[in-house]
Amino acid sequence: MDINFKDKVVLVTGASSGIGRGIAEAFGRSGAKVVINYMRQKGEAEEVLESIESSGGSGLIVQADVSEEADVLSMFEEAQEHFGDIDILINNAGIQADSSFLNMSFKEWTKVIEVNLSSQFLCAREAGRHFLMRGIKEGDRAIGNIICVSSVHELIPWAGHVNYAASKGGIMQLMKSIAQELGEHKIRINSIAPGAIKTPINEDVWSDKAKMKELLKLIPYGRIGEVDDVANVALFLASDYADYIHGTTIFIDGGMTLFPGFADNG
Ligand code: NAD
C-alpha cells in the first residue's frame, strides 16, 4: 500500500509534542505540506519543522490557542495564504487537569472542555467551510478529511478525570453528528482513540516503574503504545484507502477497551 500525500495540505493542532508531533512528522515524510500548530512551545515547533524539512517535506508553524475562536480563524487564514486551502485537519490538541469530582473547580472543568472539545468544534467548522468553498480537487475521492483525536475515555468512564472523560465522550458525538451532516458533501470525518501512548501528557506514569506495572494490567497486548502506532493509523485513515470509513472511531489501545478486569471471570 503506497500512501502518498503529495500536494495535500494537512493542519495538525498541538503539533509541537507527543502524538501531534508524531502525526505531523509522518505526514511530512509522506509528502504533505504540514501546518504545525503550537500554543507556547515555539522551539519544539521549530524542531518539528526542521525534522519535516530534513525528510524532504515542507511545513509552516502557526501559533494559536485553538480554544479561542479568533485564533482558529487567523490560523486557517495564515495556512491558506501560505499553502492554499487545507485538505486534512487533525484535531489533536488536548490537556488534562485532574481532580477528584468533589474537589474539581469549575475552572478545571471549563478549561478542559474548551481545549479538548470546543477547539475541535471550532477547527472542524472552519475546515468544513474551507473544503466547501474550494470543492473537489481532480482525482480526489473526498473534498476534505477530518480526524479527531479522542481517547479510550470516550468509552471508558474515568474517576478523577470527569472533565477529560466528558470532553472525549463529547468528541464522539460531535464527530458522529458532523459525519451525518457533512457526509453528503463528501467531507469524511472519523476519530482515532488512543489508549496509553508514551507522551509528555502521561510521563508521570511511564517514568515510574510501579505505576507502569499497574498500567500494563490494563493493556492485554502487554506494552505501552508509541506515537507511531497512532500516526500510522492517521495516515491510513486520511488516505483514499479508507474512503469508505466515515463517522466511526478506531481504537489504538492494545486491547484496553476489552475490559481486561473481566479476563479472570470478573
Ligand atoms: P501532549 O501534551 O504531548 O500534546 C498535547 C498538545 O496540545 C501539546 O503540544 C500542547 O501544547 C497542545 N495544546 C494544549 N492546549 C492547546 C491549545 N489551547 N491550543 C493549541 N495547542 C494546545 O500529549 P499527547 O499525549 O500527545 O496528547 C495529544 C492528544 O492525544 C490529546 O488530545 C490527548 O487527549 C490525546 N490522547 C493521548 C493519550 C496518551 O496516552 N498520550 C491517550 C488518549 C488520548
Side-chain angles (χ1 to χ4, degrees):
M1 203 181 296
D2 174 31
I3 296 183
N4 190 308
F5 291 100
K6 192 173 169 296
D7 299 327
K8 293 279 186 293
V9 182
V10 55
L11 188 157
V12 185
T13 69
S16 56
S17 65
I19 291 172
R21 177 179 182 150
I23 291 177
E25 291 177 341
F27 272 98
R29 286 193 299 273
S30 305
K33 296 168 186 156
V34 187
V35 183
I36 303 154
N37 159 250
Y38 74 98
M39 188 169 69
R40 287 198 195 94
Q41 304 161 305
K42 190 168 185 210
E44 284 88 338
E46 283 167 351
E47 279 174 25
V48 179
L49 177 61
E50 271 171 35
S51 133
I52 288 173
E53 287 177 342
S54 68
S55 68
S58 58
L60 168 75
I61 60 173
V62 182
Q63 194 284 330
D65 175 345
V66 290
S67 65
E68 293 288 337
E69 185 174 23
D71 279 25
V72 169
L73 298 185
S74 62
M75 172 173 72
F76 274 81
E77 257 175 47
E78 203 177 326
Q80 214 254 354
E81 276 165 23
H82 195 84
F83 282 138
D85 283 316
I86 70 156
D87 300 283
I88 299 159
L89 165 69
I90 311 288
N91 257 337
N92 165 77
I95 55 167
Q96 283 181 221
D98 307 331
S99 171
S100 64
F101 176 60
L102 295 178
N103 288 315
M104 186 174 286
S105 67
F106 188 52
K107 200 170 167 200
E108 285 166 329
W109 167 263
T110 47
K111 184 73 190 160
V112 171
I113 297 294
E114 282 169 6
V115 174
N116 293 11
L117 179 59
S118 304
S119 71
Q120 297 217 7
F121 159 78
L122 289 170
C123 293
R125 188 188 64 180
E126 212 43 35
R129 288 173 175 170
H130 279 250
F131 297 156
L132 285 173
M133 267 189 297
R134 182 198 54 219
I136 194 97
K137 277 183 177 169
E138 206 185 321
D140 282 358
R141 302 192 75 173
I143 75 165
N145 220 294
I146 300 172
I147 296 178
C148 302
V149 179
S150 171
S151 160
V152 287
H153 296 295
E154 75 168 48
L155 183 71
I156 305 174
W158 203 13
H161 310 258
V162 296
N163 47 2
Y164 187 83
S167 72
K168 297 299 185 179
I171 288 171
M172 177 185 64
Q173 286 298 349
L174 172 71
M175 177 278 290
K176 285 178 184 282
S177 304
I178 295 172
Q180 256 186 359
E181 198 166 331
L182 297 186
E184 65 171 314
H185 298 291
K186 291 278 175 282
I187 293 175
R188 207 154 62 72
I189 179 168
N190 292 286
S191 290
I192 48 181
I197 310 296
K198 197 173 175 186
T199 73
I201 214 171
N202 49 18
E203 189 171 353
D204 64 313
V205 178
W206 52 260
S207 59
D208 178 315
K209 262 191 175 169
K211 286 185 183 170
M212 258 308 269
K213 200 171 163 207
E214 283 308 300
L215 173 66
L216 289 176
K217 290 182 188 166
L218 301 176
I219 308 174
Y221 199 59
R223 70 165 172 89
I224 191 165
E226 301 292 337
V227 158
D228 276 347
D229 290 316
V230 182
N232 290 336
V233 178
L235 291 183
F236 166 71
L237 203 48
S239 77
D240 278 351
Y241 289 108
D243 189 55
Y244 209 48
I245 303 179
H246 179 58
T248 199
T249 298
I250 297 186
F251 289 88
I252 309 161
D253 67 350
M256 193 178 251
T257 41
L258 297 171
F259 298 95
F262 285 82
D264 299 322
N265 206 19

